[in-house]
Amino acid sequence: VISQISEKYGDDAIYKDGLKIYTTLDMDAQNAAVAAMQNLPNYYTDKNGLSQPQGAIVAMNPHNGYIVAMVGGRGDDAFNRATQAERQPGSTMKPFVYLAAIQSGKTPGSIVDDSPVTFGNWSPKNYENDYEGNITYRYALQHSRNVAAVKVADEVGMTKVINLAKEMGISTLTDQDYNLSTALGGLTHGVTPLDMVQAYGVLANGGIKVQPTAILKIVDRNGQVVEENSIQEKRVIDEKDAAIMTNMLESVINGGTGGNAAIGRPAAGKTGTTDDSKDAWFIGYTPDLVAAVWIGDDYGTETLHGITGGSTPAVMWGQFMSNALANTPASDFPVPASAQSAISEGYVNPAKAQPKKEDKKDEKADKKDDTGKTTDEKIKSNDKPQKEEVTEQKSNSSKNKKSKKER
């Protein structure tokens, strides 16, 4: 905040002219963010005396754009990773793919073939190099299936996906990003945590984008208001489509790769991890708050030693949100009548072809085991133990915004 004001009005205005700055920060939420950062591992100390990996947390009220908490790293450096670090987003880009498909008339129950495919000289792979055949869009996003996401992006068109992401708040996309690897987060420059919070905030706010702000007003020594921020909002997606997408992202936490982010109240979100294990994310929201957690090495040289978006970032996000919302009553995401039918779809994958000879007794037992499960548990029951789909692109350094693009 100080650097922003200093750039606009000069240092003297702050330190000599007695400007008073009223911010949007909520100290309970800020303290919760600081506490959540204590979960970061310590792998080494860099030449500047900073512990690596670094991390960032930023949280915003999705209805008015007020930034209620922001931690831009740990240590004494001035680099704010929450607003300045452009890092590869991994699978946190997938919601834009599926949202574009929803806008084109698809539903959570639409089917995509999770099978090998090649585009030019690129053959996207799933994390465990396995394939599941015909699966629903809900299942594909819930379990972060890479090949399915690329196929959906190919069908809907990357122009629509990129334009949608830009409209929702991603400011770092370039003309070089209009390719299928972007569906898995392989970007030219990466994204900032604050941009991702604004974009996911659109979903939390029923399709309306609000401009993030950390400053309420600035008053001079005479009590005159020098600057006062008003809410800037614009509808960028339909309320129905936002509700359907939110419902699909709830399944990510309820039985998908984001299980560690469960906080005992309605929440939606997405995990993200780069294939070189140098960036890990969890971005999610409730009806009242949207937050992003990022972990990575500042220099892009060290891996995260097995940390994925579904592990430490999801745990940090859950801890932060639980504490930040401790005094906020839980509430359900609003669902307009136009979305009621769609949100009931996609919980069960198409039946797989069965071998000709099958043990009827085992089949009967399998059916019995499935009785009484929730819808999200049913879709999970045919899946292997949860492992996040690591996406197929390399991360770039936080402080080097001109990294070489892969694929």
Side-chain angles (χ1 to χ4, degrees):
V1 172
I2 294 296
S3 61
Q4 183 180 340
I5 299 302
S6 177
E7 183 178 341
K8 190 170 185 178
Y9 297 102
D11 290 339
D12 286 349
I14 300 173
Y15 300 108
K16 295 182 180 180
D17 297 342
L19 288 182
K20 291 184 178 180
I21 304 167
Y22 295 82
T23 74
T24 62
L25 290 180
D26 178 287
M27 288 313 300
D28 288 337
Q30 182 66 17
N31 289 335
V34 171
M37 289 284 284
Q38 302 304 310
N39 288 283
L40 290 175
N42 293 301
Y43 292 153
Y44 73 98
T45 301
D46 67 20
K47 61 184 178 182
N48 297 314
L50 298 176
S51 296
Q52 298 291 343
Q54 277 288 338
I57 298 176
V58 58
M60 181 187 80
N61 182 321
H63 307 296
N64 56 26
Y66 290 177
I67 297 171
V68 298
M70 180 185 292
V71 179
R74 52 178 175 173
D76 298 325
D77 68 328
F79 186 63
N80 186 346
R81 294 158 188 83
T83 61
Q84 296 174 289
E86 295 181 0
R87 301 291 297 222
Q88 297 299 329
S91 290
T92 59
M93 285 296 291
K94 289 176 181 174
F96 302 116
V97 173
Y98 288 97
L99 179 56
I102 296 298
Q103 290 182 326
S104 300
K106 299 293 186 179
T107 72
S110 295
I111 302 300
V112 58
D113 184 11
D114 182 18
S115 62
V117 67
T118 297
F119 297 94
N121 61 356
W122 179 47
S123 299
K125 305 292 184 185
N126 291 320
Y127 178 51
E128 293 184 331
N129 202 28
D130 62 342
Y131 303 93
E132 299 197 39
N134 287 336
I135 56 177
T136 66
Y137 278 27
R138 182 187 298 277
Y139 182 94
L141 181 62
Q142 181 183 29
H143 299 278
S144 203
R145 304 295 289 176
N146 289 339
V147 174
V150 174
K151 287 187 175 182
V152 172
D154 182 54
E155 181 177 356
V156 75
M158 284 307 302
T159 296
K160 184 174 180 63
V161 174
I162 293 291
N163 290 345
L164 178 60
K166 287 181 176 180
E167 287 178 356
M168 293 174 69
I170 306 303
S171 63
T172 52
L173 298 169
T174 72
D175 290 342
Q176 286 70 47
D177 290 319
Y178 286 85
N179 61 77
L180 290 174
S181 66
T182 294
L184 303 183
L187 308 183
T188 305
H189 295 301
V191 297
T192 67
L194 183 58
D195 270 7
M196 294 301 274
V197 159
Q198 182 180 27
Y200 276 56
V202 172
L203 300 174
N205 197 28
I208 298 174
K209 179 174 74 172
V210 293
Q211 183 66 33
T213 183
I215 299 170
L216 286 173
K217 64 180 179 179
I218 303 172
V219 179
D220 65 19
R221 64 173 57 186
N222 298 316
Q224 298 296 313
V225 177
V226 177
E227 178 181 318
E228 188 167 13
N229 287 322
S230 58
I231 300 173
Q232 301 178 44
E233 60 182 15
K234 175 185 178 183
R235 177 167 293 282
V236 293
I237 61 175
D238 187 77
E239 182 184 16
K240 170 189 173 183
D241 298 331
I244 294 172
M245 197 67 240
T246 290
N247 178 261
M248 292 174 68
L249 290 171
E250 285 186 271
S251 290
V252 172
I253 295 177
N254 300 326
T257 60
N260 282 326
I263 55 175
R265 65 167 72 199
K270 186 69 189 77
T271 54
T273 313
T274 55
D275 67 331
D276 53 12
S277 189
K278 292 180 180 177
D279 294 273
W281 299 74
F282 191 86
I283 307 168
Y285 54 95
T286 68
D288 306 293
L289 190 63
V290 54
V293 175
W294 165 81
I295 298 176
D297 183 271
D298 267 341
Y299 309 97
T301 56
E302 290 288 326
T303 72
L304 293 175
H305 303 285
I307 288 177
T308 66
S311 58
T312 304
V315 170
M316 291 172 63
W317 184 91
Q319 178 185 322
F320 164 74
M321 294 291 280
S322 292
N323 292 329
L325 294 171
N327 297 318
T328 302
S331 60
D332 292 320
F333 289 106
V335 180
S338 57
Q340 289 289 348
S341 175
I343 66 169
S344 67
E345 297 182 21
Y347 289 99
V348 179
N349 283 327
K352 299 291 191 294
Q354 297 295 326
K356 292 182 179 180
K357 294 183 179 180
E358 186 170 344
D359 190 317
K360 298 295 183 180
K361 183 178 180 180
D362 289 345
E363 182 182 5
K364 184 177 181 180
D366 289 341
K367 290 181 179 178
K368 181 178 180 181
D369 289 341
D370 203 39
T371 303
K373 293 184 178 180
T374 66
T375 49
D376 278 325
E377 286 173 332
K378 285 181 180 180
I379 197 171
K380 182 181 176 184
S381 64
N382 291 326
D383 189 44
K384 297 175 182 178
Q386 285 303 294
K387 289 189 178 180
E388 184 191 352
E389 284 295 302
V390 177
T391 54
E392 304 187 4
Q393 76 291 317
K394 293 184 178 179
S395 76
N396 55 318
S397 165
S398 295
K399 301 182 180 180
N400 178 12
K401 298 183 179 179
K402 294 184 178 179
S403 66
K404 184 177 178 181
K405 182 170 179 286
E406 184 178 63
R407 283 186 287 274

